Amino acid sequence: MRLLTFDVGGQTRLGAEHRGRIIDLQNAASLRELAQHGLSAANAVAERLPADTLAFLERGESALTAARETLGWIQDWPADIWYALDGQSAVIYREDQVRRRAPILRPPKIICLGLNYRDHAAESGMPVPKEPVLFSKYATSVIGPDEPIRLPTDSTEVDYEAELVFVIGKRGRYIPAAEAMAYVAGYMCGHDVSARDYQLRRGGGQWMAGKTFDTFAPMGPALVTADEIPDPNALALSCRVNGETLQNSSTREFVFTVAQVVSYLSGIMTLEPGDVVFTGTPPGVGFARRPPVLLQDGDVVEIEVERIGVLRNPVRADRRG
Ligand code: MN
């Protein structure tokens, strides 16, 4: 499934892409129960299939199954019925009737890996790490597709980083690598926007400050469930700025695989449903280029990951106040 979070009529809802349309999963499940088992069954759907992505992930396999059954029920419907009336809650929407948001609006944790591609470590002049290099972002940095990345007023070196992001689906601590993939709910494109002046020089070089300005964690366009990604360690990924390809690689170049990262992190902290992990970026970032390429007001950045899609964000100068 390709899950997404979207806004319509002043509400934020959990949806799934289906035959070029967007299905409101909870409304669709309620309608199915109403048709098959009556009103009280329809009213019970909210508990089983929450409209909030984080609550949905916390329900685990039972919510995923309910969502799949709902999409199966809709499968044979003609594509052009049951659209939203303007601004009203409905079952099926066209893309232009909704606004996509980040698939997870406020992840409990946003954990990021540095230097997880062999070639990128080399281009940064750093040794290939023997243990994962970790840093974090905060929920205020999250934005979704098409939302602007804001250039901070006091950074002059904002850079792009294309990344595969995975999402935790099950609570766990001390997870063996051999069992780790059962804890991954799915995958998204991620953009680890980075203010290099803060990250590498200001205040002695502060990774966290450089990485977690507001809008510095774009994610999307959908949360693709793990069953649709047979091997996350073999996905092409790329970054385009204004249509020009500046990063083009594969997660085959990972230093640490998704399973190794899950296992390592769970040795430090309890992983929880909805936690997101940025898995590092391949070579080609702007500050390592000669001359450097830095993001400017008016740029458009696209992060593409095989089997997931394209995450596109415009870049805008920020203003104080
Ligand atoms: Mn990164």
Side-chain angles (χ1 to χ4, degrees):
M1 278 184 298
R2 297 177 58 84
L3 302 170
L4 69 144
T5 297
F6 66 95
D7 282 354
V8 71
Q11 291 192 320
T12 300
R13 306 286 295 173
L14 168 67
E17 295 176 12
H18 180 69
R19 295 167 68 193
R21 303 291 191 234
I22 291 168
I23 310 295
D24 183 312
L25 282 169
Q26 189 183 72
N27 282 351
S30 295
L31 185 63
R32 176 179 178 229
E33 287 298 319
L34 185 66
Q36 296 182 347
H37 303 110
L39 189 57
S40 62
N43 287 337
V45 162
E47 177 60 28
R48 201 154 35 99
L49 213 170
D52 172 73
T53 313
L54 208 48
F56 176 87
L57 289 171
E58 280 163 3
R59 298 289 191 288
E61 205 51 52
S62 69
L64 283 165
T65 301
R68 283 198 187 93
E69 287 173 359
T70 301
L71 291 179
W73 180 65
I74 279 180
Q75 185 66 38
D76 298 327
W77 290 15
D80 290 328
I81 63 168
W82 282 85
Y83 282 137
L85 301 170
D86 276 347
Q88 306 225 343
S89 179
V91 173
I92 300 182
Y93 298 93
R94 290 192 314 266
E95 188 82 37
D96 64 1
Q97 293 176 306
V98 306
R99 184 162 82 91
R100 282 195 193 228
R101 306 288 306 280
I104 302 171
L105 291 171
R106 295 191 68 82
K109 301 188 218 34
I110 304 172
I111 305 164
C112 308
L113 271 77
L115 306 172
N116 195 34
Y117 286 73
R118 288 178 184 81
D119 298 358
H120 175 59
E123 108 183 313
S124 303
M126 311 280 229
V128 172
K130 296 199 167 51
E131 280 191 42
V133 174
L134 304 179
F135 60 94
S136 56
K137 294 175 185 270
Y138 295 96
T140 39
S141 62
V142 173
I143 57 171
D146 299 314
E147 293 184 65
I149 295 163
R150 298 283 174 187
L151 298 173
T153 53
D154 58 355
S155 170
T156 56
E157 294 180 38
V158 179
D159 201 350
Y160 52 84
E161 294 192 357
E163 308 208 359
L164 172 70
V165 169
F166 68 81
V167 179
I168 296 296
K170 198 163 79 165
R171 191 173 308 273
R173 179 93 159 101
Y174 301 117
I175 302 164
E179 295 167 21
M181 298 312 286
Y183 290 79
V184 177
Y187 301 89
M188 306 184 282
C189 301
H191 186 174
D192 175 15
V193 185
S194 305
R196 301 297 185 199
D197 35 11
Y198 276 84
Q199 181 194 348
L200 302 172
R201 290 193 309 280
R202 289 183 61 159
Q206 304 194 60
W207 279 55
M208 191 267 274
K211 298 283 194 172
T212 197
F213 281 92
D214 283 5
T215 75
F216 272 24
M219 305 175 200
L223 165 53
V224 180
T225 51
D227 55 300
E228 298 199 9
I229 309 285
D231 185 2
N233 309 299
L235 297 172
L237 82 168
S238 59
C239 175
R240 294 184 291 276
V241 179
N242 304 328
E244 184 185 353
T245 300
L246 297 179
Q247 291 183 285
N248 191 13
S249 186
S250 165
T251 60
R252 290 180 191 279
E253 302 297 323
F254 274 160
V255 177
F256 301 103
T257 64
V258 170
Q260 287 171 326
V261 172
V262 169
S263 179
Y264 182 83
L265 292 173
S266 75
I268 297 168
M269 61 193 107
T270 301
L271 296 178
E272 301 171 292
D275 286 346
V276 301
V277 180
F278 281 68
T279 55
T281 202
V285 296
F287 87 99
R289 291 178 170 269
R290 296 291 173 267
V293 176
L294 297 165
L295 294 180
Q296 310 289 338
D297 184 32
D299 285 349
V300 175
V301 186
E302 293 169 296
I303 309 296
E304 181 161 11
V305 181
E306 183 181 1
R307 293 176 183 266
I308 299 173
V310 178
L311 169 66
R312 180 183 301 102
N313 295 93
V315 177
R316 297 279 176 268
D318 204 4
R319 269 183 235 100
R320 284 177 190 266

